[in-house]
Amino acid sequence: MSSSARTAGDLFVIAAASGTGKTSLIAALLERCPRLALSVSDTTRPARRGEIDGQHYHFVDVDAFRKGIEASRYLEHAEVFGNYYGTSRERVEALWREGRDVLLEIDVQGAAQVRQAHPDAGMVFILPPSLSTLGERLHGRGLDEPEVIRRRLDEARREIGACGDFDWLVVNDDFDRAVSELAAIVTAWPLRRARQSWRVRQLLDEDANAITIRD
Ligand code: 5GP
C-alpha cells in the first residue's frame, strides 16, 4: 500500500525571528512539497500595502477576534507587537480533510501552544547565521529606524533563546540549502515509526502460510 493510505495529515510549525527570511523560505518550500498547505491566519493588524485579505491573512477586528477566542475557534493565538494573531482550528481541519499536511507560520508563543495541543507536530525553528547578519538584513530592508532594529534584535535574542520547544533548527545562511533542509524534514517526518504503526500492523496481519512461494 502506498503512503496515501495515511489517514490524517501532519502538522508543521515554522517559527523564526523577524528578518530571518522565513517568508521566502516557506514560499519555496510550498513549491517543493505540493501536499503541504499553509494555513492563513486571522490577525487584527491592518493590512500592509499589497496584502490581500484571505490570502496573506484574514483581517478581522478585535471584537471578532476576542469572540473567536471565547468560542475556542483558535488552535493557538498570541499577541505580537500589539496585535492579535491566531490559527483557525476549522481551517486546519478542512485542509486535513482535503488530504493536505498543514504548515503554520507563527511566533514562538503560538508554537508553544501547538506543542501542548499537538505533541506530534513537527516544529522547525529558523536561525539567522548570526545576530549581526540579522541586524544587517533588518537595516537593508529600510523599513525600521535604528532604535526599532535594536528592539527587534533584542526580541530575536529572546525568541532564539526559546528554541528549546522545537525539534529542528535550520540556519538560513544559504537559501537553497535551507529550503532543501526544510523539504527533507517535511519528507522524513511522516516516516517516524510511531506515525506508521498501521503499516507494521498490516504486515503482521498478513498470513505467511497463505503466500504462494514460487520454486
Ligand atoms: P507580521 O505582522 O509581520 O505578518 O507577523 C508578525 C509575527 O506574527 C510573525 O512572527 C508571524 O510568524 C506571527 N504570526 C503570524 N500569524 C500568526 C498566528 O496565527 N499565530 C501566531 N501565534 N503568530 C502568528
Side-chain angles (χ1 to χ4, degrees):
M1 198 175 292
S2 78
S3 60
S4 62
R6 284 160 53 195
T7 46
D10 277 303
L11 184 62
F12 295 95
V13 170
I14 297 189
S18 80
T20 313
K22 173 178 62 167
T23 309
S24 323
L25 286 173
I26 287 177
L29 175 67
L30 291 169
E31 268 185 31
R32 288 268 284 268
C33 303
R35 194 186 144 103
L36 194 60
L38 185 66
S39 164
V40 179
S41 299
D42 282 2
T43 184
T44 59
R45 86 147 159 71
R48 296 188 186 124
R49 205 152 42 122
E51 283 184 334
I52 299 166
D53 190 25
Q55 187 178 320
H56 296 92
Y57 282 105
H58 295 275
F59 296 98
V60 301
D61 60 34
V62 174
D63 234 35
F65 199 100
R66 291 205 176 121
K67 285 203 181 100
I69 296 175
E70 273 164 33
S72 299
R73 280 204 286 272
Y74 294 112
L75 194 152
E76 62 73 37
H77 63 88
E79 202 181 321
V80 185
F81 300 127
N83 297 300
Y84 286 121
Y85 294 82
T87 301
S88 154
R89 204 182 287 284
E90 174 48 36
R91 251 172 254 141
V92 169
E93 286 168 2
L95 288 167
W96 278 336
R97 279 196 299 274
E98 285 171 23
R100 312 291 296 275
D101 294 323
V102 178
L103 174 61
L104 310 181
E105 179 190 348
I106 60 178
D107 84 319
V108 294
Q109 307 169 68
Q113 294 168 41
V114 173
R115 172 109 286 184
Q116 286 283 317
H118 293 271
D120 59 343
M123 314 253 304
V124 186
F125 194 82
I126 299 174
L127 289 170
S130 68
L131 268 194
S132 59
T133 327
L134 185 57
E136 278 160 30
R137 281 188 198 161
L138 289 171
H139 179 70
R141 294 199 305 193
L143 291 177
D144 301 314
E145 297 297 317
E147 191 43 45
V148 177
I149 294 181
R150 201 157 292 285
R151 249 189 292 136
R152 284 194 184 273
L153 286 179
D154 281 345
E155 180 68 11
R157 186 189 275 279
R158 198 187 56 74
E159 289 179 326
I160 291 166
C163 74
D165 269 337
F166 294 80
D167 304 297
W168 312 87
L169 298 177
V170 170
V171 181
N172 187 17
D173 48 0
D174 175 317
F175 184 84
D176 291 337
R177 195 180 60 204
V179 174
S180 293
E181 288 173 353
L182 289 172
I185 292 166
V186 169
T187 306
W189 192 248
L191 305 182
R192 285 165 302 134
R193 185 182 49 75
R195 189 78 177 81
Q196 302 199 81
S197 41
W198 63 270
R199 201 186 287 278
V200 175
R201 269 198 311 276
Q202 197 174 48
L203 278 167
L204 295 180
D205 280 351
E206 277 187 65
D207 182 355
N209 295 321
I211 297 170
T212 316
I213 305 189
R214 273 185 251 144
D215 303 318

